[in-house]
Amino acid sequence: MVKKRSKNEAKRQQILNAAIQLFTEQGFAATSMELIAKNADVSKQTVYSHFGNKDELFSASIENKCESLHIFDFSLNDLTDPHTTLFNFAKAFTEFITSKEACAVHKICVFESTAYPQVSDLFYRAGPLRLTKEVTLLMEGLHQQKILCIENPKHAALQFLHMMKGELWMQIEFNTKERISSDEVDEYLRDSVAFFIRGYSF
Amino acid sequence: MVKKRSKNEAKRQQILNAAIQLFTEQGFAATSMELIAKNADVSKQTVYSHFGNKDELFSASIENKCESLHIFDFSLNDLTDPHTTLFNFAKAFTEFITSKEACAVHKICVFESTAYPQVSDLFYRAGPLRLTKEVTLLMEGLHQQKILCIENPKHAALQFLHMMKGELWMQIEFNTKERISSDEVDEYLRDSVAFFIRGYSF
DNA sequence: AAAATAAACTAGACAGTCCAGTCTAATATA
DNA sequence: TATATTAGACTGGACTGTCTAGTTTATTTT
């Protein structure tokens, strides 16, 4: 008869939190298990007891983060005013993809995509792929309600999402010193939404 | 009387080549100076004599690579047929940004942008910034020749370039297993060029 | 053109540091 | 009572950067 005492779930989460923070800040190779244990306020042995080795912990921490990043709620029911709807969505999207958290996970997943394709796949599915699918549905809706004339909704979704990235996203990606102002960002988004609607109007 | 013998330029280049290859393949932390020396067919001491330490070698190798990646020649003189001009440019652009070399440098510059902002800045200026400026000029040309109606040529350039990235670029970035076919890419590019022209036509 | 010289280069050893992962022995807890 | 947890020692290995001692090579002087 095996008596099994369950491992402390709180500690597990502490470890995952410390791990994702360090991994995203310093990268996989530059982060030591010892520091993760210390930051998680847990002994090194506990880390190894919860996660067999560094690779497993890395995968688990990315997976954990991807799940928590799923929360990007956009209520796009009101399609009657596409300008406002799309602009608001564009703003929310920009804020999301330029957030510290999202950028950090994005960065490490891309970087480790050759060594850990399964990890980067997690992010791809949870992020870009999921979002593209949702926006594709939105585009289909705009077409069916005769608000816009969108023959290929997937292409339109890709065009829209990529377009909205703009200059700010690049500057954050490359950590440049100068950053464009949020006014300029807004102007770019407004311009782009207007352009998008013009390009897909009847 | 100072006798100065210049260091071997060929060896310097061998070191830089080996360094950029390993750094882009394995990352900064995971690449050892010893292996760089070995791959460059040079002694470790020679590496240290040419480049004081690992950081310096890293910077130098990225700088060297950025210079060689400058070569993205697009002859965009013939503006009379914007569909063809923009499509050809879009194709060349896609091929360039999805090339192994460009992707690899992009990846490491983004990843090391916090630890080495000067390095990522090199790439940003040599790549995205330079290209955006050139395409902005193209957009101005299209406007002045009354081929398209582009009020804000910089926005148009950003929209165009970002839009063209599309799905393939994401799949390469995340190293996904499935890849869209080059036919699909062509279709996307054609669609996007048509959409772009529609959105900016008089 | 030959000899002299100073610097570049090589190979390898080396010190010092760090890290992944294991082991142990003691403690806490369900 | 069995298992989770802890702190810390420990192994084996890798890495950076230095040092040494000997070799090659470009340049300057004779």
Side-chain angles (χ1 to χ4, degrees), chain B residues 104-149:
Chain B
V105 191
H106 177 261
K107 189 192 282 192
I108 197 159
C109 285
V110 168
F111 187 72
E112 301 294 353
S113 64
T114 37
Y116 302 89
Q118 75 288 5
V119 160
S120 90
D121 212 54
L122 282 174
F123 185 86
Y124 178 62
R125 286 174 197 285
L129 193 61
R130 197 180 59 92
L131 208 51
T132 304
K133 279 179 181 163
E134 300 223 32
V135 176
T136 300
L137 291 178
L138 165 66
M139 296 300 163
E140 274 170 8
L142 287 166
H143 182 71
Q144 273 160 16
Q145 295 187 36
K146 311 264 185 214
I147 295 163
L148 293 175
C149 173

Side-chain angles (χ1 to χ4, degrees), chain B residues 133-202:
Chain B
K133 279 179 181 163
E134 300 223 32
V135 176
T136 300
L137 291 178
L138 165 66
M139 296 300 163
E140 274 170 8
L142 287 166
H143 182 71
Q144 273 160 16
Q145 295 187 36
K146 311 264 185 214
I147 295 163
L148 293 175
C149 173
I150 298 173
E151 302 249 312
N152 191 323
K154 189 183 168 185
H155 285 185
L158 286 165
Q159 286 156 355
F160 184 80
L161 287 171
H162 274 104
M163 206 157 69
M164 295 309 158
K165 284 190 172 175
E167 204 170 10
L168 176 64
W169 184 76
M170 285 201 296
Q171 291 184 344
I172 287 175
E173 188 179 28
F174 290 108
N175 194 30
T176 61
K177 268 204 147 178
E178 314 97 31
R179 297 285 165 88
I180 59 170
S181 68
S182 62
D183 280 357
E184 282 176 287
V185 174
D186 272 20
E187 205 189 316
Y188 176 78
L189 293 182
R190 243 193 310 277
D191 256 28
S192 298
V193 166
F195 161 65
F196 183 82
I197 289 172
R198 213 159 45 237
Y200 277 119
S201 62
F202 280 94

Side-chain angles (χ1 to χ4, degrees), chain B residues 86-99:
Chain B
L86 289 178
F87 178 74
N88 287 338
F89 174 71
K91 255 202 97 106
F93 174 68
T94 301
E95 256 162 52
F96 179 70
I97 63 163
T98 58
S99 72

Side-chain angles (χ1 to χ4, degrees), chain A residues 140-151:
Chain A
E140 274 170 7
L142 287 166
H143 183 71
Q144 272 159 18
Q145 295 187 35
K146 311 267 187 212
I147 295 163
L148 292 176
C149 171
I150 298 172
E151 301 249 312

Side-chain angles (χ1 to χ4, degrees), chain B residues 13 16-17 20-21 23-25 61-62 64-71 94-109 123 169 172:
Chain B
Q13 198 56 51
L16 286 172
N17 291 344
I20 195 69
Q21 201 205 330
F23 282 141
T24 52
E25 271 174 13
S61 69
I62 297 285
N64 188 252
K65 195 67 185 176
C66 283
E67 275 160 25
S68 78
L69 281 180
H70 259 198
I71 323 133
T94 301
E95 256 162 52
F96 179 70
I97 63 163
T98 58
S99 72
K100 259 223 172 78
E101 279 196 315
C103 283
V105 191
H106 177 261
K107 189 192 282 192
I108 197 159
C109 285
F123 185 86
W169 184 76
I172 287 175

Side-chain angles (χ1 to χ4, degrees), chain A residues 25 38 40 74 95 105 124 141 152 155 162 169 198:
Chain A
E25 270 174 12
K38 197 184 155 199
F74 44 98
E95 255 162 53
V105 191
Y124 178 61
N152 190 323
H155 284 185
H162 274 102
W169 184 77
R198 212 160 44 238

Side-chain angles (χ1 to χ4, degrees), chain A residues 5 31-33 44-45 48 53-54:
Chain A
R5 186 184 144 208
T31 298
S32 76
M33 296 292 269
K44 196 175 169 183
Q45 199 48 244
Y48 277 98
N53 56 40
K54 202 181 176 184

